[in-house]
Amino acid sequence: MADSTGLPVRTGNVYVAEVTGLTHEAKGVARVNGFAVFVPGALPGEKIRVKVEQLKKQYGEGSLVDVLEPSPDRVPPLCPIHESCGGAQLQHMRYEAQLAAKRQWVADSLKRIGKLDHVTVHPTIGMDDPLRYRNKIHAPFGARNGRLITGYYAPGTRDIVECDHFLLGHPRIESTILKVRRIADELGLSAWNPQTRRGLLRHVVVRLGFASGELMVVLVATSDRLPRQDELVGLLRSEIDGLTSLCLNVNTGPSGEIMGERTMVLWGTDTIRDTIGGIDFAISPRSFFQINPVQTEKLYGKALEYAGLSGEETVIDAYCGIGTISLFLARHARHVYGVEIVPEAVEDANINARINGIRNVTFATGRAESVLPHWEKQGINADVIVVDPPRKGCDNRLLDTIIAMQPKRVVYVSCNPATLARDLRILENGGFRTLEAQPVDMFPQTGHVECVVMMSRL
């Protein structure tokens, strides 16, 4: 029965509910008197008790009190702080069920948001071993009982959940974080406190080249000089096997950004290297490089397949980053043009092209929606356009530019099914046809899915 708000549930009350689905944020959709309540930790098919924490007009947010009838897909989580950290939201779900859920997220978004009922959505490409796949982890520093801690942020907060085990990171990354924390603590270095805006160490960022074995450690701090810095460098060098690059990044800003603009090398090189699909990449502290190198090769292989290159095509990569997709495509195209708004990424892309001896690529700095029309005026007409935008999707002006350029094919690589579906609908209205979609599980145990889509000009 509805209360004065007109809703059939009340904040603070506990209800028995059936879980009917799973949101894109990996929350169970519980039905309480027909009203949807999103519940972290609940799985489809379960009967649960849920406490309603917040209410909005269309849905509520709840917390899981207990599971009365568990799903057959429920498994014991491997991480002891699973419920409090939220870093691997789906680790309590059987992996095959995770893959099926992610395919369904993509299919549902295409139909509901994009009105794309005709698209073939293939089963999600998963991993043989869906753990320890990350080549990069950033861990915030905090203080507790007079000592340094590292861990994860609790969901929706800046409260640090202390953690010694990083389930999704390579074991060398985990051991490196713990060594950095111990040594910094022994030397008396302080942690940044966002409430008092005092303290020194904000994050430790560790990157590992899976193919090269090279290791980069970046200390993010509020000063460009650390107390007992020479001693710190010496201890880290002696205790961290394979350390190749040790950097200091200065971040004095109030925002939640992990890294600041200035980075200096304390010891070693300014980059580490990794190899994906036979292409070598130099990775700097602020480079964007895919987190999961095993799945990246599958993702880019599918993008290459969908591009349908014969060696005669001109390709534009509209969000090229450090040139990862561009260099993959260049080996099979006549020429690839990449555009990226971050100048440092374009510098890295040019370096990566030189490292691999790839000459049929041209990289430009700027907004894709501004650079592409300029290229078109120069007579550069793309046969294939590839986009790999951030979670917010493509800029509308870029979509208009793609429609105006009318390439034969568009390959869309997406990390957000909702904005993917929205953008595909715009391109379909502009004369393209979405043919098929291939989800790829780049982030096992989490509520994220990557997807590659092939479009053809009508």
Side-chain angles (χ1 to χ4, degrees), residues 93-278:
M93 188 180 198
R94 189 170 56 88
Y95 187 55
E96 292 75 14
Q98 292 183 35
L99 298 179
K102 292 182 181 187
R103 180 202 172 276
Q104 197 62 46
W105 291 343
V106 173
D108 289 347
S109 292
L110 295 186
K111 290 180 181 179
R112 180 173 52 85
I113 300 171
K115 312 303 179 191
L116 302 169
D117 296 327
H118 59 274
V119 180
T120 299
V121 181
H122 297 290
T124 307
I125 296 175
M127 297 189 73
D128 294 334
D129 182 6
L131 298 171
R132 299 294 190 181
Y133 58 80
R134 289 183 65 101
N135 60 14
K136 174 188 172 185
I137 286 181
H138 71 267
F141 281 103
R144 188 159 299 152
N145 299 324
R147 61 182 180 86
L148 284 180
I149 63 168
T150 50
Y152 292 106
Y153 288 125
T157 75
R158 288 287 164 182
D159 298 330
I160 299 174
V161 179
E162 185 175 1
C163 179
D164 290 345
H165 303 287
F166 297 83
L167 180 73
L168 305 184
H170 190 283
R172 284 184 62 194
I173 295 178
E174 176 182 290
S175 64
T176 297
I177 291 173
L178 299 182
K179 287 176 182 177
V180 169
R181 183 183 73 191
R182 175 178 55 78
I183 291 169
D185 194 37
E186 289 172 355
L187 295 179
L189 304 188
S190 62
W192 164 255
N193 185 321
Q195 280 74 45
T196 63
R197 298 188 52 76
R198 299 180 67 181
L200 182 65
L201 298 177
R202 298 179 72 140
H203 289 86
V204 54
V205 182
V206 182
R207 307 184 84 146
L208 174 68
F210 271 33
S212 68
E214 295 178 353
L215 193 71
M216 172 182 283
V217 173
V218 183
L219 294 171
V220 183
T222 55
S223 172
D224 59 4
R225 179 73 188 180
L226 303 177
R228 305 176 71 177
Q229 181 168 294
D230 293 342
E231 193 175 353
L232 173 69
V233 171
L235 287 170
L236 293 176
R237 286 181 59 189
S238 66
E239 295 206 26
I240 298 176
D241 295 333
L243 182 62
T244 307
S245 173
L246 177 59
C247 299
L248 175 64
N249 176 269
V250 182
N251 182 357
T252 58
S255 71
E257 291 291 329
I258 295 169
M259 299 182 97
E261 296 292 328
R262 281 196 301 148
T263 304
M264 57 210 71
V265 177
L266 298 181
W267 178 83
T269 61
D270 59 351
T271 62
I272 60 171
R273 294 199 181 190
D274 207 354
T275 303
I276 296 179

Side-chain angles (χ1 to χ4, degrees), residues 3 65 92 104 111 116 251 307 358 371 375 408 434 438 449:
D3 64 9
V65 177
H92 62 298
Q104 197 62 46
K111 290 180 181 179
L116 302 169
N251 182 357
I358 297 176
V371 174
W375 279 341
K408 295 175 184 176
T434 308
Q438 177 60 70
V449 61

Side-chain angles (χ1 to χ4, degrees), residues 77-79 90 110 129 133 175 178 239 263-264 284 290-291 294 298 310 334 345 354 358 360 400 425 452:
L78 296 175
C79 178
L90 286 178
L110 295 186
D129 182 6
Y133 58 80
S175 64
L178 299 182
E239 295 206 26
T263 304
M264 57 210 71
S284 58
Q290 289 282 8
I291 290 295
V294 173
K298 298 175 186 176
S310 67
R334 183 172 65 83
R354 288 197 297 271
I358 297 176
N360 60 328
D400 291 341
R425 169 41 55 198
V452 191

Side-chain angles (χ1 to χ4, degrees), residues 290-337:
Q290 289 282 8
I291 290 295
N292 186 333
V294 173
Q295 294 296 86
T296 297
E297 190 161 347
K298 298 175 186 176
L299 181 79
Y300 290 173
K302 185 57 67 172
L304 177 62
E305 175 190 327
Y306 283 176
L309 302 178
S310 67
E312 298 300 319
E313 292 83 5
T314 298
V315 181
I316 290 178
D317 181 3
Y319 293 87
C320 72
I322 66 171
T324 45
I325 293 181
S326 299
L327 298 179
F328 256 70
L329 299 174
R331 296 182 299 182
H332 304 273
R334 183 172 65 83
H335 201 92
V336 175
Y337 295 86

